[in-house]
Amino acid sequence: MSDTKKITANHVARAVIPDPGFGREVEEKSRTRVSSCFQCLKCTGGCPVTFAMDIMPHQAIRMVQLGMKDEVLESSTIWVCASCETCTTRCPNDIDIAHLMDTLRQTAIAEKITPAQKEILAFHRVFMMTIRFLGRLYEPGMLGALKAWTRTLNRGEIKLGWKMFKKGKLKIVPRAVGESRELRAIFAKAKQKVKGEGSKVKG
Amino acid sequence: MKNSKLIKVSYYPGCSLDSSGREYGESTEAVARDLEVELGELPDWNCCGATSGHATNERLDVLLSARNLWIAEKAGRDLVVPCAACFQRLKTAEKKLLEGPEKEEIPIGYQGKIRIKHLADFLWEDVGPKKIREKVRKPLPGLKPVCYYGCLTVRPPRVTGARDPEDPKVMDNILKILGAQVMNWSYKTDCCGGSLVLARPDIVRRLVGKLLENAEEAGANCVVTACPLCQANLDGQQDEIARESGKKPKLPIFYFTELMGLAFQNPDTKGWWKRHLTDPRKFLKEKGLI
Ligand code: SF4
Ligand code: SF4
């Protein structure tokens, strides 16, 4: 297909010999029927961020069906998807594509695959770290940590940050959740489950 | 204030309304007072996890919202949520806790006895047009807004319960009652890029640029939103978009609650305009509204 970034010999080999294992694994994890996709392209047609994707949403679906695991998990697409839910809303086969993107991101994280969009995963991690410590988002802390981590702070952002601060949009003191024990329990529980799931899928 | 008329609900402000979306929080509370709605902030609520939660850990995403829903059901009142992203996370968790395997896995006994409503839907459906009309003291005829709903107030409809996800009308209806000349456009529910703004501002600027362009093309002189993420992106990225493209536009981006406050002549409005990154004060003065 002309809009595919690059088709390697590896792609072709897998296209000829499909590996349904990955597709089944993803279907089980995401609880959405990827196999019912008939490539109508409606998802891709309505997706607002295809200009920043290396594989189109309908191609990602097809690649999951064919078991092209590495290609999907190493793609930019799974990270730049904005979770806008347009595809999910419009799919004639009721495939929850937005949720499938979540599943693919989580699989990529679990398998420690280097993300094609490092900054985006760094953002998610810093965001969740803030929630873990405070229970609520603290924007100044999160922004500082993210920019220090990814070293991507530019002049435009400094200007915007300063302007927001002057306008009272960034507070000096965070508001934390009182029941921090409950919160710790939530994070611990979520972690256990993720481990459990990994082993189930492999079996 | 006559107590018989008071509508009492639980209120989940979400993290943004305390910082980047402060004027949304302030105007929501002011308008609620005007409309005799008692917003009882959910005690000790936690963040819903937003995009990062569901992107990285599905279980954690449900658990974070489950705690909030559990607190809300104990409080026993309908839960009103002004942030589109929080609203959608809470609704997603609700569906899972009631119908999914999560019902057994997260046995908090959530029964779905309360309704979860986005603020705009709540004001339109529960408070109602009659009450809103009664409170209008200064109509807004000079305003030609387009209403921007973004993604998560409506999508996916199976979760949000939106009746018309491609063409929502609640904000349009409210703004019309306020006397604004609401313009039609086909970008009501297009995406602004949401939280991608921090890691990939280039993507967000491209999406926002398109939205602003089309708002102007539709003949609008301002944009009205119901989500702190949408507002922050449309309002905050305009400087940079203008710098990159070497041209205009300086469209004021309002929260619909701010314009309700303005039409109600709420004394607190002054504090809100100065928080905007694209300052709307000159525009509002020209229109004789402040
Ligand atoms: S909209 Fe649904 S059926 Fe059509 S290509 Fe996309 S996933 Fe497949
Ligand atoms: S949810 Fe992701 S893949 Fe689907 S339309 Fe939105 S950005 Fe595209």
Side-chain angles (χ1 to χ4, degrees), chain B residues 281-290:
Chain B
R281 279 175 289 195
K282 191 169 156 245
F283 167 78
L284 290 172
K285 259 191 212 124
E286 277 169 18
K287 302 289 165 207
L289 292 169
I290 58 170

Side-chain angles (χ1 to χ4, degrees), chain A residues 43 46-49 53 57 80-88 97-98 101:
Chain A
C43 48
C47 176
V49 292
M53 289 177 165
V80 298
C81 157
S83 304
C84 76
E85 307 266 2
T86 308
C87 49
T88 297
I97 304 136
M101 293 291 180

Side-chain angles (χ1 to χ4, degrees), chain A residues 18-80:
Chain A
D19 165 17
F22 179 60
R24 269 205 301 272
E25 176 187 327
V26 170
E27 276 202 342
E28 198 182 308
K29 274 203 223 169
S30 64
R31 296 185 223 149
T32 195
R33 296 236 350 244
V34 183
S35 51
S36 62
C37 168
F38 50 37
Q39 293 287 298
C40 73
L41 270 67
K42 227 175 162 179
C43 48
T44 297
C47 176
V49 292
T50 47
F51 65 85
M53 289 177 165
D54 46 4
I55 50 177
M56 300 298 112
H58 74 280
Q59 292 173 321
I61 303 271
R62 190 79 185 112
M63 286 163 131
V64 169
Q65 289 176 340
L66 293 172
M68 296 163 77
K69 182 173 172 176
D70 299 343
E71 289 82 350
V72 175
L73 298 184
E74 286 166 11
S75 71
S76 279
T77 297
I78 60 172
W79 298 106
V80 298

